[in-house]
Amino acid sequence: MIAPSVLSCDFGRLREEIAAVESADVIHLDIMDGHYVPNLTFGYVLLEKIRSLTSLPLDAHLMVTNPASYVERLAKIGVDWISFHQECEFHSHRLVQRIKELGVKAGLALNPAVPLSTLECILPDLDYVLLMSVNPGFSGQSFIPAALEKVRALRNMIDTDKMAALIEIDGGVNCDNAARIRDAGADILVSASYIFGSSNYAAAIKSLRG
Ligand code: DX5
Ligand code: ZN
C-alpha cells in the first residue's frame, strides 16, 4: 500500500492535492503537537476538511505526548487508523484496546532508536507497526539505512508467529529505495516529499509500487 503524507502538500490547494493522490491506498496524517516533536502541524478542523474530501482510509500518525486524549475525537471525525509512539503512553496496551473498541485500526510507532523487542508483548494485538526511518518531526529527511534491517527482522517476527500486523515504513521513502523496502517486507510505504515534490503524483505513487 502507498500512503501519501499530506505534510508536504500545498495546503492552499488542499482539495486538488487530495484529489491528485486518489490512486493511493491510504492518506497519512502527521499530527504533531510542538512538544513531543519540534514541529506543529494540524488539528481537528483540518482533519474534518480532509475527511470530507476523500473516501480513502485516513491514517493518523500521532506525534504527541498524550495520545490517549485524542483518539475519541479522531474516531468521531472518521479516521480509520491511529498510531501513537510507544514512549508517549504509559499504558500502551490499554490505549491499543481503546482504539480498537472505537472501530479504528491500532498501530504502534517506533522511532529509529527504539528496538523491536519493545513489541514483544503487544505485537499480537496490533493491526500495524509504524517503523520510523527518519527521526519524527519533519518531511524531506534522508532514509536511515538501518531501518531496512529492522523491517526484515519485524517481518520475520510477524511471519514466524503468524501474526496479522502490517508493517508501515515512514520517512525518506522514494523511487530509489522503495524496491528494497518492499523486498525487506514492508506492507505500507508512507511518502510526503517524494510524492508531493514530484510533477505527477499518480506517476510517483506508481513508481513506489514497482
Ligand atoms: C515525519 C513524518 C513522516 C513524513 C515523511 O515525522 O512522520 O510521515 O511526513 O516525509 P518524507 O516522505 O518527506 O520523509
Ligand atoms: Zn508519519
Side-chain angles (χ1 to χ4, degrees):
M1 283 183 260
I2 306 299
S5 160
V6 296
L7 189 57
S8 290
C9 85
D10 177 354
F11 284 98
R13 301 174 55 253
L14 188 58
R15 182 183 301 275
E16 293 85 348
E17 294 283 81
I18 298 282
V21 294
E22 279 290 323
S23 62
D25 305 281
V26 184
I27 302 284
H28 186 83
L29 305 163
D30 287 306
I31 301 169
M32 306 185 190
D33 65 356
H35 187 227
Y36 173 62
V37 287
N39 199 4
L40 190 59
T41 55
F42 41 80
Y44 302 127
V45 174
L46 199 85
L47 292 169
E48 276 165 3
K49 185 68 195 167
I50 293 173
R51 180 66 292 171
S52 75
L53 293 175
T54 182
S55 53
L56 285 175
L58 298 181
D59 166 28
H61 175 192
L62 293 179
M63 284 161 275
V64 300
T65 45
N66 186 12
S69 66
Y70 297 80
V71 298
E72 254 84 23
R73 186 85 186 264
L74 289 173
K76 206 162 171 215
I77 288 170
V79 160
D80 303 275
W81 303 19
I82 297 176
S83 68
F84 62 93
H85 280 254
Q86 171 79 313
E87 62 276 21
C88 295
E89 175 56 55
F90 290 126
H91 304 287
S92 52
H93 185 272
R94 180 188 291 155
L95 185 55
V96 163
Q97 306 311 320
R98 181 69 194 127
I99 292 170
K100 289 162 86 169
E101 279 164 18
L102 291 165
V104 175
K105 289 194 186 306
L108 208 55
L110 267 54
N111 281 338
V114 176
L116 294 178
S117 54
T118 193
L119 293 170
E120 196 179 321
C121 300
I122 189 85
L123 193 51
D125 295 287
L126 297 177
D127 293 306
Y128 63 110
V129 177
L130 186 160
L131 292 180
M132 290 300 310
S133 39
V134 298
N135 285 297
F138 304 93
S139 59
Q141 304 179 78
S142 300
F143 186 87
I144 295 172
L148 215 49
E149 192 42 48
K150 215 166 166 184
V151 174
R152 268 188 217 109
L154 180 56
R155 177 83 275 150
N156 195 29
M157 279 167 77
I158 291 171
D159 291 351
T160 303
D161 290 327
K162 297 192 172 42
M163 285 183 275
L166 298 174
I167 303 176
E168 179 171 39
I169 187 101
D170 187 6
V173 175
N174 56 45
C175 63
D176 296 326
N177 56 22
R180 268 176 289 143
I181 297 167
R182 290 194 315 268
D183 290 349
D187 301 293
I188 308 150
L189 274 54
V190 175
S191 167
S193 54
Y194 172 67
I195 292 176
F196 288 102
S198 74
S199 54
N200 181 334
Y201 301 167
I205 289 166
K206 201 163 168 225
S207 74
L208 295 177
R209 294 191 195 281

